[in-house]
Amino acid sequence: MAASAQHASKFTRYLHSETGPKTVHFWAPVLKWCLVIAGFNDLQRPVEKISGTQQVALFATGAIWTRWAGFVIKPRNFLLASVNFFLGGVAGYQIYRLADYRVKAGDSPAQVFNYIVSGSSDTPEPATNTEPTTK
């Protein structure tokens, strides 16, 4: 009986803590896991359909907020730090996939960087004639 009362008190303390399930500090990271799950699903998507700028933004968000949530802000929110760590990891892997795809296509490192950051390579697209011809 004493053991169950001790567990109940730990649960009650967690329930009412600053990062417990009654706060936004719990539910925001829980919902942010949807981004990580979507990133895992995008691993099956063809690499040419992946947005480099989106992946860079997700990687930066994951890296910055992992540090802040785990080490800087008080109270430390390890749930938020863990979701951001995985978010950055998935986005980093997608950036690797994009870079590897472009290198295998024959792009230089500068072209790969330009493709990831701006979505276009240095090589111009074939021009199409949109002007009507008159005779």
Side-chain angles (χ1 to χ4, degrees), residues 28-47:
V30 167
L31 294 175
K32 198 169 187 179
W33 275 103
C34 294
L35 289 174
V36 176
I37 293 167
F40 275 119
N41 286 336
D42 281 349
L43 295 176
Q44 298 172 358
R45 179 177 285 193
V47 72

Side-chain angles (χ1 to χ4, degrees), residues 28-37 58 61-62 65-66 69 77-90:
V30 167
L31 294 175
K32 198 169 187 179
W33 275 103
C34 294
L35 289 174
V36 176
I37 293 167
L58 288 172
T61 299
W65 279 103
T66 296
N77 191 339
F78 293 114
L79 182 60
L80 183 61
S82 67
V83 71
N84 281 300
F85 176 80
F86 282 99
L87 182 66
V90 170

Side-chain angles (χ1 to χ4, degrees), residues 75-121:
R76 288 188 176 154
N77 191 339
F78 293 114
L79 182 60
L80 183 61
S82 67
V83 71
N84 281 300
F85 176 80
F86 282 99
L87 182 66
V90 170
Y93 182 69
Q94 292 287 39
I95 293 169
Y96 167 77
R97 283 183 64 206
L98 275 170
D100 187 50
Y101 170 74
R102 296 304 294 192
V103 166
K104 287 180 180 174
D107 287 355
S108 69
Q111 288 172 320
V112 170
F113 178 79
N114 189 31
Y115 179 79
I116 290 173
V117 172
S118 67
S120 64
S121 59

